[in-house]
């Protein structure tokens, strides 16, 4: 190709590009004008219902019963005539609207990132799990009394257990936690498990949690048909060995006449 042809091709390419960048109608507007939003919904479906999630005319997605909620969609508000979208969450079985939210072109990132939990027919806020911090185990708990239907506040007490001489040592306590609500984050310094020395004797050490009536050291199930065993009537816990940040939902799972607990969710 000679110099004349090269210059001609270059000029044509320049004018084509200029024309594209100058166009301000239809989809070509995206080349220089965009208002892109990323909509995120996360949390947990703590119900036996399937949930249908849909953003405007996007294809709907279905979240299974008792599962994490994870929904995301990206939209460009480049059309001046359409500056909002509608998000809906419905019960798949009944088509009942459980949550409806308008997403606007001028919304902030915080307004387009939702965290929620669905349980007992209601939508509630799902807490943001704190970022891990060196030298801290951070915990958020929700306690669900699904068998005893206990509705008074409880304390969840985290302890070290020394096999010899069978001693519990309190580490930290979640205080005055109402069933079916999330606690505020609590924290403590990590510590090792396994065989250690206690009062001059070698002993295995475990990490355990008991659930008491708020402000006491009385098991919350006292006075019910279910018995309390300090070694087996313990709430699920994450490892205390290294720094972490965890959220747990727990509920009741008695064995025969002994109160015990199940981990519904750990994040």
């Amino acid at each position: 190709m000679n110099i004349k042809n090269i210059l001609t091709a270059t000029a044509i390419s320049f004018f084509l590009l200029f024309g594209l960048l100058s166009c301000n109608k239809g989809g070509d507007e995206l080349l220089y004008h965009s208002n892109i939003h990323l909509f995120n919904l996360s949390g947990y479906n703590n119900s036996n219902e399937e949930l249908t999630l849909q953003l405007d005319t996007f294809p709907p997605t279905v979240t299974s019963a008792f599962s994490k909620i994870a929904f995301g969609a990206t939209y460009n508000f480049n059309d001046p005539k359409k500056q909002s979208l509608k998000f809906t969450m419905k019960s798949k079985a009944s088509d009942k609207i459980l949550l409806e939210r308008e997403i606007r072109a001028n919304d902030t990132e915080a307004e387009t990132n939702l965290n929620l939990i669905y349980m007992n027919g209601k939508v509630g806020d799902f807490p943001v799990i704190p970022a891990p911090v060196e030298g801290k185990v951070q915990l958020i708990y929700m306690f669900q009394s699904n068998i005893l239907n206990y509705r008074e506040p409880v304390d969840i007490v985290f302890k070290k257990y020394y096999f010899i001489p069978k001693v519990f040592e309190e580490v930290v306590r979640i205080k005055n936690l109402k069933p079916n609500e999330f606690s505020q984050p609590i924290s403590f310094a990590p510590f090792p498990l396994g065989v250690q020395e206690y009062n001059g004797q070698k002993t295995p050490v475990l990490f355990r949690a008991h659930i008491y009536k708020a402000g006491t050291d009385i098991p919350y199930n006292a006075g019910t048909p279910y018995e309390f065993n300090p070694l087996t009537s313990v709430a699920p816990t994450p490892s205390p060995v290294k720094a972490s940040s965890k959220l747990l939902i727990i509920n009741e799972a008695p064995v025969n006449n002994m109160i015990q607990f199940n981990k519904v969710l750990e994040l």
Side-chain angles (χ1 to χ4, degrees), residues 63 104 115 221:
T63 296
R104 299 174 297 273
N115 291 280
N221 60 296

Side-chain angles (χ1 to χ4, degrees), residues 241-265:
V241 172
K242 60 181 181 179
S244 64
S245 189
K246 297 286 186 178
L247 178 148
L248 286 87
I249 299 175
I250 61 174
N251 64 12
E252 297 160 334
V255 176
N256 298 320
N257 68 331
M258 194 68 61
I259 192 69
Q260 293 187 25
F261 305 94
N262 174 58
K263 180 169 60 180
V264 178
L265 176 69

Side-chain angles (χ1 to χ4, degrees), residues 8 46 50 54 63 65 71 102 112 119 140 152 158-159 248 263:
T8 301
N46 192 34
E50 289 185 307
Q54 185 169 23
T63 296
F71 178 87
E102 184 182 19
T112 57
M119 56 184 288
I140 296 174
E152 297 300 315
F158 301 88
K159 305 176 179 182
L248 286 87
K263 180 169 60 180

Side-chain angles (χ1 to χ4, degrees), residues 69-90:
I69 296 173
F71 178 87
T74 302
Y75 188 81
N76 193 338
F77 288 100
N78 65 305
D79 183 353
K81 297 179 181 179
K82 188 172 180 62
Q83 292 294 288
S84 67
L85 302 174
K86 184 172 71 173
F87 171 78
T88 56
M89 183 172 80
K90 299 180 180 180

Side-chain angles (χ1 to χ4, degrees), residues 131-138 188-190 241-245:
V133 176
E134 187 66 30
K136 283 187 177 182
V137 176
Q138 301 177 94
F188 59 90
V241 172
K242 60 181 181 179
S244 64
S245 189

